Amino acid sequence: MKQQILEFPVDSLSTFDSFVVCDGNAAALQFAKRIVDIADSDKLLYLYGPSGSGKTHLIKSIMQELTITGTGNVVCLSCKTPISSDVFATTFEKTSALLIDDLHLLPDDPDVRAALWQVFNDYYIAGRPIVMAGLYPPRELPHIDDHLVSRLLWGLVARVDASDDHSRMMILKKVADDRQVRVPDDVVDYILVTTSREVGELIDTFEAIYRLSLAEKRKITLALAKESRELVLARGH
């Protein structure tokens, strides 16, 4: 069966400028910018944190910067896709950076681990950028060899977490500002209470309210937000 590879396209919406900075991700953003800085010698970064916290956004931002600066061909492999021992060499044969997301999903396969270690060493020795991300800190990653864990700890390591209410509120305000709309405080509070901690769902909830506001030519109010939620729940059933 042909190996399926998940590659992230360069996304003009996922940039450092569009990344909402808060207490839980400021260090991660700073480290990500260092990776793409030609003058900075640090080229190894591991990001970890809960799903929807912004890890993939930062990886896409790094891809964007490397593409703009003409560093070369850049792709990212997600371990969500089925991975065989030859996928690393195939994917990163002609790329200028080693970018791997969802590292916590790496399969429990000694051949896969050996292949990952080989491509990691190739990039590390060559001094090319290496960025990996997963749900857990290095020492808690399943199916990762100890020598790779140790090597990750030699580089830059940052937690990415925007799950606290203050960070989620900042994200909502940023998304609203991007749409040039005003969102009353009671609507913000309602969204925070009725939405999960995942940033993606938070943004989707706001976008649904925004689209309903445009469709019905009404201001965003608490009543409209409740109507939007009822419509979303009804479609879910």
Side-chain angles (χ1 to χ4, degrees):
M1 182 177 66
K2 184 179 179 180
Q3 178 70 44
Q4 292 184 338
I5 299 173
L6 176 63
E7 296 180 0
F8 296 147
V10 174
D11 185 352
S12 60
L13 298 178
S14 295
T15 66
F16 290 140
D17 289 339
S18 65
F19 190 75
V20 181
V21 186
C22 60
D23 292 341
N25 62 28
L29 176 61
Q30 179 186 0
F31 288 169
K33 289 182 175 180
R34 289 178 60 181
I35 292 297
V36 299
D37 185 350
I38 298 176
D40 199 308
S41 60
D42 282 308
K43 295 301 175 187
L44 172 58
L45 170 63
Y46 178 72
L47 303 169
Y48 71 96
S51 176
S53 59
K55 301 184 299 296
T56 301
H57 186 128
L58 285 176
I59 290 178
K60 288 183 176 181
S61 300
I62 290 170
M63 293 176 67
Q64 180 86 345
E65 288 296 317
L66 292 175
T67 301
I68 290 173
T69 56
T71 302
N73 182 36
V74 185
V75 299
C76 179
L77 173 70
S78 170
C79 293
K80 287 181 178 179
T81 189
I83 292 178
S84 62
S85 59
D86 62 349
V87 69
F88 297 109
T90 302
T91 305
F92 299 107
E93 182 180 6
K94 297 181 180 179
T95 60
S96 57
L98 179 61
L99 307 176
I100 299 177
D101 202 2
D102 305 299
L103 191 58
H104 58 284
L105 296 178
L106 189 80
D108 186 11
D109 184 324
D111 292 334
V112 170
R113 288 196 294 271
L116 173 59
W117 176 242
Q118 181 62 55
V119 72
F120 179 96
N121 267 332
D122 291 344
Y123 275 75
Y124 189 84
I125 293 171
R128 287 181 285 179
I130 300 174
V131 181
M132 297 184 176
L135 288 183
Y136 314 118
R139 289 193 177 94
E140 296 178 17
L141 285 168
H143 312 149
I144 303 295
D145 288 342
D146 290 342
H147 45 268
L148 179 54
V149 170
S150 298
R151 192 64 59 86
L152 288 176
L153 291 171
W154 289 1
L156 302 171
V157 178
R159 177 174 172 80
V160 188
D161 190 355
S163 62
D164 63 281
D165 285 343
H166 178 66
S167 298
R168 295 165 73 227
M169 180 181 67
M170 290 176 64
I171 291 170
L172 276 177
K173 295 289 188 182
K174 168 65 175 174
V175 175
D177 287 345
D178 289 344
R179 301 295 182 273
Q180 297 183 337
V181 296
R182 180 184 174 276
V183 182
D185 290 341
D186 58 351
V187 174
V188 173
D189 292 340
Y190 179 76
I191 295 174
L192 293 180
V193 168
T194 58
T195 308
S196 78
R197 296 277 166 182
E198 289 196 8
V199 174
E201 185 174 337
L202 185 73
I203 295 175
D204 288 344
T205 299
F206 172 80
E207 292 290 357
I209 297 170
Y210 176 65
R211 287 193 298 270
L212 183 61
S213 171
L214 291 178
E216 299 194 358
K217 298 181 179 179
R218 295 163 57 189
K219 290 183 178 180
I220 294 179
T221 62
L222 181 58
L224 184 74
K226 290 181 177 180
E227 289 178 31
S228 175
R229 176 170 171 77
E230 290 176 1
L231 289 172
V232 171
L233 291 175
R235 285 196 294 268
H237 293 302

